[in-house]
Amino acid sequence: MRTLIGERPQGDGLALAEWGGVHDALDRGAEAVEPYRLALAAGLDAEHEHQITLQLASTLRNLGQHDQAIELLEHLDAPELGDAPAVFLALALHSAGRPNDALRVALTSLAPHLPMYRRAATDYAAELAPDDESTGGRQSISPSAVPRRASPSSQ
């Protein structure tokens, strides 16, 4: 893979993204962060930018950098990724010790897929106590902050 990456122009965003992915696949996440960040800085088309942002956030969560992962995922508007951003946001929130916020995100993301009990799941998600006190005063995640995907009817 190193040879293939070397054949690409210096600073090629897609090559850098692939190089980060190679490190992630080899369970070398700490070495994936820089290529991912460089790829995003080099510029990518929207779809690849969204994918690499999600991969970077996942890697940061695995490295214990939960707040950075949460920040990336809260601002990721990537309907083409479906509910993946919400899934990874829920994981990052849980890893950050914010279980209610994680569950709120997961339920809010899952609710639209329920043929029955959609409203109940949405209401229960909204009723969960915020994790503010256990997170050192950080703001709790509201249902409106959950990354959205394209509606099933538009896919």
Side-chain angles (χ1 to χ4, degrees):
M1 187 62 159
R2 185 185 311 264
T3 302
L4 291 173
I5 299 295
E7 292 176 3
R8 302 293 300 176
Q10 184 73 18
D12 180 281
L14 286 176
L16 291 163
E18 290 295 332
W19 191 236
V22 165
H23 287 91
D24 253 348
L26 296 173
D27 201 24
R28 297 170 74 170
E31 296 173 50
V33 172
E34 183 179 6
Y36 284 155
R37 290 192 190 280
L38 291 171
L40 291 167
L44 300 165
D45 62 78
E47 188 172 333
H48 284 104
E49 179 182 334
H50 297 160
Q51 291 172 3
I52 299 310
T53 299
L54 188 127
Q55 287 173 220
L56 172 60
S58 176
T59 299
L60 291 170
R61 181 191 76 86
N62 289 332
L63 294 172
Q65 298 174 29
H66 309 127
D67 291 340
Q68 289 181 46
I70 292 166
E71 179 73 19
L72 287 170
L73 293 164
E74 284 179 331
H75 296 98
L76 182 57
D77 181 18
E80 76 280 2
L81 295 179
D83 291 319
V87 167
F88 285 88
L89 176 58
L91 287 167
L93 289 164
H94 186 271
S95 294
R98 298 169 60 184
N100 284 359
D101 288 338
L103 183 57
R104 183 178 301 102
V105 167
L107 289 174
T108 301
S109 177
L110 177 62
H113 302 283
L114 301 176
M116 297 175 60
Y117 308 107
R118 179 177 300 155
R119 192 183 84 206
T122 301
D123 290 348
Y124 289 140
E127 290 175 8
L128 286 167
D131 285 324
D132 289 26
E133 294 166 13
S134 66
T135 60
R138 285 190 303 269
Q139 192 66 9
S140 178
I141 299 293
S142 71
S144 64
V146 175
R148 299 282 178 214
R149 66 178 199 87
S151 65
S153 62
S154 68
Q155 293 183 358

